[in-house]
């Protein structure tokens, strides 16, 4: 049976959602999730690329043909995974295929890239230059380049320039990445498990960097990721805590989240000292275990950390929490942790909260 909100919604909300979250490895399921998200009136579908079953080009191409209105974005793919011309071609093709609905979200990297023979973190010079190379290629230029992003005697794309440039977004958490996003990109993607206060400070950093670079700070879009789950069962709440472990375990990622949120770093140290995590060495918990397999360390994540950095509770309570993130400076929220169908009650409550009440009828005229 379809949820009452499955009828097409005319006005998109400032809410997006991931497809294929929760460890799903069947890419075909993204199509049904995309159609449901579009029926709900969500604004963007986001793809977290994973080598093996979540190839950005394949999944985004399928979603572009299965939908007609909703935006499609990568959140994220690392800069280092593709040659600049290949990345420009992929994004430009998707932009044409979706008639201007694609957003390219890039990340500076992570420890999991080390086995691929590329730097685990893209240096700042590479990030800045690659953004420029991509834009010049989409504009139809031939690019000769020798610098931090590589050596390219003459990059060019076949066909006419892009009529609708691809918006370039950058995932950011640390201060340098936030400044780079403000100075050189069209928007920023913020990770999960941040409080509204942290989102406000980070949004301010990005927009201040844009203004200092002579750019319009209000033209940038801030996309904040928020774990969202209405009326979670104890099992679902445990899985959510397991997800938090995956975000908090890596160094320095977890340290930055704790610092931005004002959390006690000694709790983070105890979490990482849990035998299940300490045995991993440099390996990542979320690349090794599913969230439900992290129940032991998850019990060390304080409950108030979860409630402060997610949207949990009744649909109306979740909607209020999402509004707090938007009030903090986010332009769109990437709802994470549940498939679109599970988000329907929250989306309905948020839409009801956002819809102005009808104006009261004017008082009757006094008798003459």
């Amino acid at each position: 049976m379809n949820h009452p909100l499955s009828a097409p919604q005319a006005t998109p909300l400032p809410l997006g959602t991931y497809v294929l979250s929760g460890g799903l490895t069947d890419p075909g399921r993204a199509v049904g999730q995309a159609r449901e998200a579009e029926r709900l009136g969500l604004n963007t579908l986001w793809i977290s690329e994973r080598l093996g079953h979540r190839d950005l080009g394949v999944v985004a191409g399928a979603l572009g043909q299965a939908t007609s209105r909703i935006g499609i974005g990568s959140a994220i793919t690392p800069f280092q995974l593709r040659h600049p011309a290949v990345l420009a071609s992929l994004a430009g093709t998707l932009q044409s295929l979706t008639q201007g609905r694609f957003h390219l979200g890039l990340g500076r990297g992570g420890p999991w890239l080390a086995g691929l023979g590329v730097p685990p973190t893209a240096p700042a010079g590479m990030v800045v230059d690659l953004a420029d190379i991509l834009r010049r290629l989409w504009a139809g230029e031939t690019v000769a380049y020798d610098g931090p992003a590589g050596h390219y005697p003459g990059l060019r794309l076949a066909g006419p320039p892009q009529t609708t440039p691809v918006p370039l977004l950058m995932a950011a958490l640390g201060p340098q990445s936030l400044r780079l996003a403000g100075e050189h990109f069209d928007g920023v993607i913020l990770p999960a498990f941040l409080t509204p206060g942290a989102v406000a400070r980070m949004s301010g950093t990005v927009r201040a960097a844009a203004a200092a670079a002579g750019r319009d700070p209000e033209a940038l879009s801030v996309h904040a990721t928020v774990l969202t789950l209405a009326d979670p069962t104890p099992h679902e709440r445990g899985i959510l805590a397991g997800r938090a472990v995956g975000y908090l375990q890596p160094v320095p990622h977890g340290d930055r989240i704790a610092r931005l949120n004002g959390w006690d770093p000694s709790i983070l140290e105890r979490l990482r000292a849990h035998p299940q995590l300490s045995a991993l060495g440099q390996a990542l918990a979320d690349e090794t275990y599913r969230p439900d397999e992290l129940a032991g360390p998850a019990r060390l994540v304080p409950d108030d950390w979860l409630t402060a950095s997610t949207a949990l509770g009744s649909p109306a309570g979740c909607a209020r929490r999402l509004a707090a993130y938007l009030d903090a400076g986010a332009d769109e929220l990437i709802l994470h942790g549940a498939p679109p169908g599970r988000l329907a009650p929250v989306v309905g409550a948020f839409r009801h909260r956002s819809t102005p009440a009808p104006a009261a009828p004017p008082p009757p005229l006094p008798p003459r």
Side-chain angles (χ1 to χ4, degrees):
M1 178 182 294
N2 288 334
H3 189 277
L5 283 174
S6 293
Q9 302 295 318
T11 305
L13 298 168
L15 307 176
T17 183
Y18 277 107
V19 295
L20 300 177
S21 64
L24 292 180
T25 57
D26 176 8
R29 295 184 64 176
V31 171
Q33 292 181 346
R35 288 172 174 156
E36 178 65 12
E38 188 165 67
R39 283 193 292 269
L40 286 173
L42 298 183
N43 196 53
T44 314
L45 299 164
W46 295 96
I47 302 162
S48 177
E49 185 165 35
R50 288 291 183 275
L51 300 182
H53 59 273
R54 266 188 259 164
D55 181 272
L56 174 61
V58 175
V59 175
L63 301 188
Q65 297 307 288
T67 59
S68 60
R69 175 203 57 78
I70 195 167
I72 299 166
S74 62
I76 55 170
T77 191
F79 288 90
Q80 305 96 311
L81 282 186
R82 294 177 178 86
H83 186 285
V86 174
L87 182 59
S89 174
L90 181 149
T93 301
L94 285 169
Q95 185 71 322
S96 298
L97 186 70
T98 62
Q99 298 180 314
R101 292 187 284 139
F102 182 66
H103 303 69
L104 180 59
L106 296 169
R108 296 183 68 181
W112 66 276
L113 291 173
L116 301 179
V118 300
T121 301
M126 174 189 172
V127 170
V128 172
D129 289 357
L130 184 56
D132 180 64
I133 289 170
L134 292 175
R135 291 186 173 116
R136 291 175 63 189
L137 288 173
W138 291 326
E141 296 183 33
T142 297
V143 179
Y145 174 87
D146 188 9
H151 173 67
Y152 310 112
L155 297 177
R156 66 183 303 272
L157 300 180
Q162 286 291 137
T163 55
T164 305
V166 180
L168 268 180
L169 311 175
M170 181 172 168
L173 178 60
Q176 183 186 47
S177 292
L178 291 168
R179 288 193 295 270
L180 288 175
E183 291 165 355
H184 301 283
F185 286 75
D186 302 308
V188 65
I189 300 171
L190 305 181
F193 294 105
L194 294 169
T195 65
V199 168
R201 289 188 291 276
M202 296 166 79
S203 300
T205 298
V206 171
R207 293 195 163 108
R215 309 177 71 207
D216 179 3
E218 297 308 315
L220 273 71
S221 57
V222 175
H223 306 262
T225 307
V226 184
L227 270 290
T228 303
L229 197 56
D231 299 322
T233 65
H235 176 68
E236 288 174 328
R237 199 174 180 94
I239 291 176
L240 181 66
R243 285 186 182 276
V245 171
Y247 277 80
L248 295 171
Q249 178 237 3
V251 178
H253 187 93
D255 304 87
R256 287 172 173 161
I257 288 178
R259 186 165 55 251
L260 284 161
N261 290 340
W263 291 344
D264 183 353
S266 67
I267 296 177
L268 193 58
E269 293 173 10
R270 289 199 295 274
L271 174 69
R272 290 171 174 161
H274 186 280
Q276 189 175 358
L277 299 185
S278 62
L280 292 176
Q282 298 300 312
L284 298 180
D286 63 354
E287 294 288 333
T288 309
Y289 298 106
R290 298 190 310 270
D292 62 333
E293 295 174 329
L294 291 167
R299 283 192 283 271
L300 298 176
V301 178
D303 195 61
D304 61 341
W305 284 18
L306 295 181
T307 55
S309 61
T310 63
L312 300 177
S314 68
C318 290
R320 286 193 299 272
R321 190 68 176 166
L322 296 178
Y325 279 95
L326 293 171
D327 291 342
D331 299 294
E332 181 184 278
L333 306 179
I334 306 175
L335 308 187
H336 190 20
R342 185 77 168 76
L343 293 171
V346 176
V347 174
F350 185 90
R351 187 179 294 278
H352 177 75
R353 177 183 177 86
S354 304
T355 302
L365 294 173
R368 303 188 64 145

